[in-house]
Coordinates of all heavy atoms in Angstrom, one line a residue:
G11 N 5.4 9.5 0.0 CA 5.8 8.5 -1.0 C 4.8 8.2 -2.0 O 4.9 8.1 -3.2
L12 N 3.6 8.0 -1.5 CA 2.4 7.7 -2.3 C 2.1 8.9 -3.2 O 1.7 8.7 -4.4 CB 1.2 7.4 -1.4 CG 1.2 6.0 -0.8 CD1 0.1 5.8 0.2 CD2 1.1 4.9 -1.9
R13 N 2.2 10.1 -2.7 CA 1.9 11.2 -3.5 C 2.9 11.4 -4.6 O 2.5 11.9 -5.8 CB 1.8 12.5 -2.6 CG 0.6 12.5 -1.7 CD 0.5 13.9 -0.9 NE -0.7 13.9 0.0 CZ -0.6 13.6 1.3 NH1 0.6 13.4 1.8 NH2 -1.7 13.6 2.1
R14 N 4.1 11.1 -4.4 CA 5.1 11.1 -5.4 C 4.8 10.1 -6.5 O 4.9 10.3 -7.7 CB 6.5 10.8 -4.9 CG 7.1 12.0 -4.1 CD 8.6 11.8 -3.9 NE 8.8 10.8 -2.9 CZ 8.9 11.1 -1.5 NH1 8.7 12.3 -1.1 NH2 9.1 10.1 -0.7
L15 N 4.2 8.9 -6.1 CA 3.9 7.9 -7.1 C 2.6 8.5 -7.9 O 2.6 8.2 -9.1 CB 3.5 6.6 -6.4 CG 4.7 5.8 -5.8 CD1 4.1 4.7 -5.1 CD2 5.6 5.4 -6.9
L16 N 1.7 9.1 -7.1 CA 0.5 9.7 -7.9 C 1.0 10.7 -8.8 O 0.5 10.7 -10.0 CB -0.4 10.2 -6.9 CG -1.1 9.3 -5.9 CD1 -1.9 10.1 -4.8 CD2 -2.1 8.4 -6.6
D17 N 1.8 11.6 -8.5 CA 2.3 12.6 -9.4 C 3.0 12.0 -10.6 O 2.9 12.5 -11.7 CB 3.2 13.7 -8.7 CG 2.3 14.5 -7.7 OD1 1.1 14.5 -7.8 OD2 2.9 15.0 -6.7
G18 N 3.8 11.0 -10.3 CA 4.6 10.5 -11.4 C 3.8 9.6 -12.4 O 4.3 9.4 -13.5
H19 N 2.6 9.4 -12.0 CA 1.7 8.6 -12.9 C 1.0 9.5 -13.9 O 0.4 9.0 -14.8 CB 0.7 7.8 -12.1 CG 0.1 6.7 -12.8 ND1 0.7 5.6 -13.5 CD2 -1.3 6.6 -13.3 CE1 -0.1 4.8 -14.1 NE2 -1.4 5.4 -13.9
R20 N 1.0 10.8 -13.7 CA 0.3 11.7 -14.6 C 1.0 11.5 -16.1 O 2.2 11.3 -16.2 CB 0.5 13.2 -14.2 CG -0.3 13.4 -13.0 CD -0.2 14.8 -12.5 NE 1.2 15.2 -12.2 CZ 1.6 16.4 -11.6 NH1 0.7 17.3 -11.4 NH2 2.9 16.6 -11.3
P21 N 0.2 11.6 -17.1 CA -1.2 12.1 -17.3 C -2.3 11.2 -17.1 O -3.4 11.4 -17.4 CB -1.2 12.7 -18.7 CG -0.3 11.6 -19.5 CD 0.7 11.2 -18.5
Y22 N -1.9 10.0 -16.4 CA -3.0 9.0 -16.2 C -3.6 9.0 -14.8 O -2.8 9.4 -13.9 CB -2.4 7.6 -16.4 CG -1.7 7.5 -17.7 CD1 -0.4 6.8 -17.8 CD2 -2.2 8.0 -19.0 CE1 0.2 6.7 -18.9 CE2 -1.5 7.8 -20.1 CZ -0.3 7.2 -20.2 OH 0.4 7.1 -21.3
P23 N -4.8 8.8 -14.7 CA -5.4 8.9 -13.2 C -4.8 7.8 -12.3 O -4.5 6.8 -12.7 CB -7.0 8.6 -13.5 CG -7.1 8.8 -14.9 CD -5.8 8.5 -15.7
A24 N -4.8 8.2 -11.0 CA -4.3 7.3 -10.0 C -4.9 7.8 -8.7 O -5.1 9.0 -8.4 CB -2.8 7.3 -9.9
V25 N -5.2 6.8 -7.8 CA -5.9 7.1 -6.6 C -5.3 6.2 -5.5 O -4.8 5.0 -5.8 CB -7.4 6.9 -6.6 CG1 -8.1 7.8 -7.6 CG2 -7.8 5.4 -7.0
V26 N -5.4 6.6 -4.2 CA -5.1 5.7 -3.1 C -6.4 5.6 -2.3 O -7.1 6.7 -2.0 CB -4.1 6.4 -2.2 CG1 -3.8 5.5 -1.0 CG2 -2.7 6.5 -3.0
V27 N -6.8 4.5 -2.0 CA -8.1 4.2 -1.3 C -7.8 3.3 0.0 O -6.9 2.6 0.0 CB -9.2 3.5 -2.2 CG1 -9.5 4.4 -3.3 CG2 -8.7 2.2 -2.7
D28 N -8.8 3.4 0.9 CA -8.7 2.4 2.0 C -9.5 1.1 1.8 O -9.8 0.9 0.7 CB -9.2 3.2 3.3 CG -10.7 3.4 3.3 OD1 -11.4 2.9 2.4 OD2 -11.2 4.2 4.1
R29 N -9.6 0.3 2.8 CA -10.1 -1.0 2.5 C -11.7 -1.0 2.1 O -12.1 -1.9 1.6 CB -10.0 -1.8 3.8 CG -10.8 -1.3 5.0 CD -10.6 -2.2 6.2 NE -11.2 -1.7 7.5 CZ -11.7 -2.4 8.4 NH1 -11.8 -3.8 8.2 NH2 -12.3 -1.9 9.4
F30 N -12.3 0.1 2.4 CA -13.7 0.2 2.0 C -13.8 1.0 0.6 O -15.0 1.2 0.2 CB -14.5 0.9 3.1 CG -14.6 0.1 4.4 CD1 -14.0 0.7 5.5 CD2 -15.0 -1.1 4.4 CE1 -14.0 0.0 6.7 CE2 -15.1 -1.8 5.6 CZ -14.5 -1.3 6.7
G31 N -12.8 1.4 0.0 CA -12.9 2.2 -1.2 C -13.0 3.6 -1.0 O -13.3 4.4 -2.0
D32 N -12.8 4.1 0.2 CA -12.9 5.6 0.5 C -11.5 6.2 0.0 O -10.5 5.7 0.2 CB -13.0 5.9 1.9 CG -14.4 5.6 2.4 OD1 -15.4 5.5 1.5 OD2 -14.6 5.4 3.6
L33 N -11.7 7.3 -0.7 CA -10.5 8.0 -1.2 C -9.6 8.6 -0.2 O -10.1 9.3 0.6 CB -11.0 9.1 -2.3 CG -10.0 9.8 -3.1 CD1 -9.3 8.9 -4.0 CD2 -10.6 11.0 -3.9
V34 N -8.3 8.3 -0.3 CA -7.4 8.9 0.6 C -6.6 10.0 -0.1 O -6.3 11.0 0.5 CB -6.4 7.8 1.1 CG1 -5.2 8.4 1.9 CG2 -7.2 6.8 2.0
A35 N -6.2 9.8 -1.4 CA -5.4 10.8 -2.2 C -5.7 10.4 -3.6 O -6.0 9.3 -4.0 CB -3.9 10.7 -1.7
A36 N -5.3 11.5 -4.4 CA -5.5 11.2 -5.9 C -4.5 12.2 -6.7 O -4.2 13.3 -6.1 CB -6.9 11.4 -6.4
N37 N -4.2 12.0 -7.9 CA -3.6 13.0 -8.7 C -4.6 13.8 -9.4 O -5.8 13.4 -9.5 CB -2.5 12.4 -9.6 CG -3.1 11.5 -10.6 OD1 -4.3 11.4 -10.9 ND2 -2.2 10.7 -11.3
D38 N -4.2 14.9 -10.1 CA -5.1 15.8 -10.7 C -5.7 15.2 -11.9 O -6.7 15.7 -12.5 CB -4.6 17.2 -11.0 CG -3.3 17.1 -11.8 OD1 -2.9 16.0 -12.3 OD2 -2.5 18.1 -11.8
A39 N -5.2 14.1 -12.5 CA -5.8 13.4 -13.7 C -7.1 12.7 -13.3 O -7.8 12.2 -14.2 CB -4.8 12.5 -14.3
L40 N -7.4 12.6 -12.0 CA -8.7 12.1 -11.6 C -9.8 12.8 -12.2 O -10.9 12.3 -12.3 CB -8.8 12.0 -10.1 CG -10.0 11.3 -9.5 CD1 -10.0 9.9 -9.8 CD2 -10.1 11.6 -8.0
D41 N -9.6 14.1 -12.6 CA -10.7 14.9 -13.2 C -11.2 14.2 -14.4 O -12.4 14.5 -14.8 CB -10.1 16.3 -13.5 CG -9.8 17.2 -12.4 OD1 -10.2 16.8 -11.2 OD2 -9.2 18.2 -12.5
L42 N -10.4 13.5 -15.0 CA -10.9 12.7 -16.3 C -12.1 11.8 -15.8 O -13.0 11.5 -16.6 CB -9.7 11.9 -16.8 CG -10.0 11.0 -18.1 CD1 -10.2 11.9 -19.3 CD2 -8.9 10.0 -18.3
L43 N -12.0 11.2 -14.7 CA -13.0 10.2 -14.2 C -14.2 10.9 -13.6 O -15.4 10.5 -13.6 CB -12.4 9.3 -13.2 CG -11.2 8.4 -13.7 CD1 -10.8 7.4 -12.7 CD2 -11.4 7.7 -15.1
T44 N -13.9 12.1 -12.9 CA -15.0 12.7 -12.1 C -15.8 13.7 -12.9 O -16.8 14.3 -12.4 CB -14.4 13.4 -10.9 OG1 -13.4 14.4 -11.3 CG2 -13.7 12.4 -10.0
E45 N -15.4 14.0 -14.1 CA -16.2 14.9 -15.0 C -17.6 14.5 -15.1 O -18.0 13.4 -15.4 CB -15.6 15.0 -16.4 CG -16.2 16.0 -17.2 CD -15.7 16.1 -18.7 OE1 -14.7 15.3 -18.9 OE2 -16.2 16.9 -19.5
G46 N -18.5 15.5 -14.7 CA -20.0 15.2 -14.8 C -20.6 14.5 -13.6 O -21.7 14.2 -13.5
V47 N -19.7 14.1 -12.7 CA -20.2 13.4 -11.4 C -20.8 14.4 -10.5 O -20.4 15.5 -10.4 CB -19.0 12.7 -10.7 CG1 -19.5 12.2 -9.3 CG2 -18.4 11.6 -11.5
A48 N -22.0 14.0 -10.0 CA -22.8 14.9 -9.1 C -22.0 15.4 -8.0 O -21.2 14.6 -7.4 CB -24.0 14.1 -8.6
P49 N -22.1 16.7 -7.6 CA -21.2 17.2 -6.5 C -21.4 16.5 -5.2 O -20.4 16.3 -4.5 CB -21.8 18.7 -6.4 CG -22.4 18.9 -7.7 CD -23.0 17.7 -8.2
E50 N -22.6 15.9 -4.9 CA -22.7 15.2 -3.6 C -21.9 14.0 -3.5 O -21.4 13.5 -2.4 CB -24.1 14.9 -3.3 CG -24.8 13.9 -4.2 CD -25.5 14.5 -5.4 OE1 -25.2 15.7 -5.7 OE2 -26.3 13.9 -6.0
L51 N -21.5 13.4 -4.6 CA -20.7 12.2 -4.7 C -19.2 12.5 -4.5 O -18.4 11.6 -4.3 CB -20.9 11.4 -5.9 CG -22.3 10.8 -6.2 CD1 -22.4 10.2 -7.5 CD2 -22.7 9.8 -5.1
L52 N -18.9 13.8 -4.7 CA -17.5 14.3 -4.5 C -17.3 14.9 -3.2 O -16.2 15.5 -2.9 CB -17.1 15.2 -5.6 CG -17.3 14.6 -7.0 CD1 -17.0 15.6 -8.1 CD2 -16.4 13.4 -7.2
E53 N -18.2 14.9 -2.2 CA -18.0 15.3 -1.0 C -17.3 14.3 -0.1 O -17.7 13.2 -0.1 CB -19.4 15.8 -0.3 CG -20.1 16.9 -0.9 CD -19.4 18.2 -0.6 OE1 -18.8 18.3 0.5 OE2 -19.5 19.2 -1.4
P54 N -16.3 14.8 0.6 CA -15.6 13.8 1.5 C -16.5 13.2 2.5 O -17.4 13.9 3.1 CB -14.4 14.6 2.1 CG -14.4 15.9 1.2 CD -15.7 16.1 0.7
P55 N -16.3 11.9 2.8 CA -15.3 11.0 2.2 C -16.0 10.4 0.8 O -17.0 9.9 0.8 CB -15.2 9.9 3.2 CG -16.6 9.9 4.0 CD -17.0 11.3 4.0
V56 N -15.1 10.6 -0.2 CA -15.5 10.1 -1.5 C -15.2 8.6 -1.6 O -14.2 8.1 -1.2 CB -14.7 10.8 -2.6 CG1 -15.0 10.3 -4.0 CG2 -14.9 12.3 -2.5
N57 N -16.3 7.9 -2.0 CA -16.1 6.4 -2.1 C -16.0 6.1 -3.6 O -17.0 6.4 -4.3 CB -17.3 5.6 -1.5 CG -17.0 4.2 -1.5 OD1 -17.4 3.6 -2.5 ND2 -16.5 3.6 -0.5
V58 N -14.9 5.6 -4.1 CA -14.7 5.4 -5.5 C -15.6 4.3 -6.1 O -15.9 4.4 -7.3 CB -13.3 5.1 -5.8 CG1 -12.4 6.3 -5.4 CG2 -12.7 3.9 -5.2

């Protein structure tokens, strides 16, 4: 259900995070925010 919400929010970015801000899921519009971000910050677990 969350993934359907994420997909339905495109073309705008959307993420699901846990209580510490760790990324659980995201739509592909997240690329807008992660462009230019260092690769090590995008290694799981990603903290937003």
Side-chain angles (χ1 to χ4, degrees):
L12 285 171
R13 290 190 180 98
R14 284 192 289 272
L15 289 173
L16 292 172
D17 291 341
H19 195 67
R20 292 181 296 186
Y22 311 133
V25 298
V26 177
V27 298
D28 67 12
R29 62 178 175 147
F30 297 118
D32 288 342
L33 186 66
V34 173
N37 64 14
D38 53 15
L40 184 66
D41 292 347
L42 179 75
L43 305 183
T44 60
E45 182 180 0
V47 170
E50 64 268 20
L51 296 177
L52 300 178
E53 289 290 329
V56 176
N57 186 275
V58 299

